[in-house]
Amino acid sequence: MGIRKKIPKSQELTYALSVKDAMCKNVVKVSPYLSIKKLREILKENAISGAPVVEKGRVIGVISIEDLIKCLVKGEITAKIKDKMTKEITVCHPEDPLIKAIQIFERTGYGRLPVVEKDNNKLVGILTKSDIVMCLFKKLRSLYETKEEKEDENHLPLYSELKGDFSFKMEKPVEKMDFKKAGSVSSAFKDAMEKFGLPKDVVRRVSISAYEAEMNMVIYSEGGTMTLQIDPHKAKIEANDNGPGIDDVKKALTPGYSTAPDWIRELGFGAGMGLPNIQNNSDKLKIRTKKGKFTRLSFEVNLK
Ligand SMILES: Nc1ncnc2c1ncn2[C@@H]1O[C@H](COP(=O)(O)OP(=O)(O)O)[C@@H](O)[C@H]1O
Ligand SMILES: [Mg+2]
């Protein structure tokens, strides 16, 4: 469908890198029972503009320089941090892809995100936009230096040894609203493609699209299955779900179009770039959908 626009490497990397690759592990954190006066000293000493508030290792809020200024204006410098902090906080997890954190930053305008373990909310790091920029910059530089295209040439891919007479297929279920497992199917596919020795560029393009299709199934659908198929000349993904279908496919393919509710946006999704990214990364894309019944997405990336 259409002409594929090449998506920049920096954007591809935001899917491939995780929050843990970018986050800062040395976090300056504060106790909820400290005073605003003490907070002022801590922020100044460390030259930071905010900090997560932590009790027994777990994040219970964040306090920023804006909160501090408000207190100073009102002369509340003996107030406790716990009474002045923001309690409804947005966090991210170490294993989240960077794209998710970037979307949260874009959506919320926050300056920093606490990074907590998924199961127990334990603080393991902090992420700022400049951490992300530095991480991308380092990765791009090392990619540039290692010239991975050369590696592809030297390493004889399994699929080419098979001399064009094979077809590999792998199917996985996707559960609706299961944010804990979300992303695991596309990573399993990525693994399989890497083991198969597909060119890195193909693996990246298919993985990005598979991740977006998987997230859409988790967020919007009633769940379904995804299939990866590797043929001699193409890698193909099918994402079949059990409704509710897409009202207007053309609209859904428009960059920025999203019907995501606010709470989904707060999780960092709903930028409306999923389907457009799939389209840009695929050599062939088909969407079949029936209102109230199903959505069947299939896309292919050519191997030659
Ligand atoms: N599997 C699906 N089932 C139903 N609706 C979907 C599905 N996938 C996408 N959509 C619709 O298409 C819109 C655009 O999707 P996408 O480009 O991925 O952006 P986003 O996920 O950020 O909203 C979604 O907001 C949703 O309305
Ligand atoms: Mg999406």
Side-chain angles (χ1 to χ4, degrees):
M1 266 177 84
I3 301 164
R4 189 176 71 86
K5 283 187 234 94
K6 214 169 154 56
I7 87 163
K9 183 85 97 209
S10 55
Q11 198 189 339
E12 290 176 7
L13 286 176
T14 61
Y15 289 82
L17 291 166
S18 315
V19 166
K20 66 172 173 303
D21 301 319
M23 71 185 189
C24 171
K25 286 179 202 141
N26 263 337
V27 192
V28 178
K29 47 194 185 246
V30 294
S31 147
Y33 304 105
L34 294 178
S35 67
I36 293 296
K37 186 164 175 250
K38 185 72 191 164
L39 172 73
R40 180 191 194 170
E41 286 162 25
I42 294 173
L43 295 185
K44 202 167 160 198
E45 256 166 42
N46 296 284
I48 50 175
S49 58
V53 184
V54 173
E55 188 170 28
K56 297 192 183 113
R58 297 188 180 18
V59 186
I60 58 166
V62 285
I63 187 112
S64 69
I65 202 154
E66 287 83 22
D67 301 320
L68 172 71
I69 291 168
K70 275 187 213 150
C71 291
L72 293 179
V73 169
K74 292 190 200 152
E76 298 177 322
I77 70 168
T78 54
K80 295 276 178 280
I81 287 178
K82 74 176 169 47
D83 300 317
K84 299 294 168 188
M85 67 187 186
T86 305
K87 289 180 190 132
E88 261 149 47
I89 50 166
T90 306
V91 295
C92 58
H93 306 298
E95 56 282 353
D96 287 341
L98 271 190
I99 182 78
K100 194 166 152 184
I102 292 170
Q103 287 169 351
I104 296 177
F105 280 127
E106 277 176 2
R107 188 66 58 200
T108 60
Y110 294 157
R112 76 191 62 72
L113 281 176
V115 185
V116 302
E117 276 176 8
K118 226 170 208 166
D119 301 319
N120 56 21
N121 227 25
K122 220 182 103 203
L123 183 72
V124 290
I126 190 116
L127 187 71
T128 61
K129 285 185 211 167
S130 56
D131 293 330
I132 294 180
V133 173
M134 277 317 291
C135 174
L136 287 176
F137 177 72
K138 277 191 200 146
K139 188 71 191 181
L140 281 171
R141 197 173 56 188
S142 80
L143 280 178
Y144 196 73
E145 282 162 6
T146 52
K147 291 232 173 37
E148 59 182 48
E149 275 69 26
K150 266 239 149 66
E151 281 171 39
D152 273 342
E153 279 166 27
N154 297 339
H155 158 236
L156 194 58
L158 176 60
Y159 79 93
S160 69
E161 282 177 52
L162 292 171
K163 297 204 172 55
D165 192 18
F166 71 95
S167 179
F168 166 85
K169 210 163 175 172
M170 180 173 180
E171 186 177 289
K172 298 241 162 211
V174 178
E175 311 289 344
K176 73 165 177 176
M177 289 298 161
D178 188 345
F179 284 95
K180 223 166 189 169
K181 269 198 259 146
S184 64
V185 172
S186 36
S187 11
F189 288 174
K190 183 168 178 236
D191 253 27
M193 288 186 285
E194 276 167 354
K195 293 208 173 96
F196 237 81
L198 298 193
K200 290 193 168 68
D201 170 59
V202 173
V203 174
R204 260 192 237 112
R205 284 166 56 198
V206 178
S207 306
I208 289 173
S209 300
Y211 174 80
E212 293 293 358
E214 183 180 359
M215 292 318 300
N216 282 351
M217 276 171 85
V218 171
I219 296 171
Y220 303 109
S221 88
E222 291 298 314
T225 54
M226 286 182 73
T227 319
L228 163 71
Q229 189 178 326
I230 303 173
D231 288 339
H233 299 294
K234 63 173 192 275
K236 179 176 178 180
I237 299 271
E238 281 174 0
N240 296 334
D241 68 50
N242 305 314
I246 302 178
D247 270 345
D248 182 339
V249 172
K250 206 171 154 211
K251 233 186 196 172
L253 282 164
T254 312
Y257 175 82
S258 173
T259 60
D262 284 349
W263 72 272
I264 285 287
R265 288 171 196 255
E266 268 150 32
L267 290 175
F269 302 104
M273 289 308 296
L275 291 174
N277 272 343
I278 296 177
Q279 188 164 42
N280 283 339
N281 278 295
S282 308
D283 292 311
K284 193 169 173 184
L285 164 68
K286 274 194 219 154
I287 303 176
R288 291 213 304 129
T289 180
K290 193 162 181 188
K291 208 169 153 62
K293 296 270 189 235
F294 62 79
T295 298
R296 291 181 196 148
L297 199 79
S298 80
F299 50 86
E300 297 177 9
V301 173
N302 297 334
L303 289 176
K304 293 276 152 55

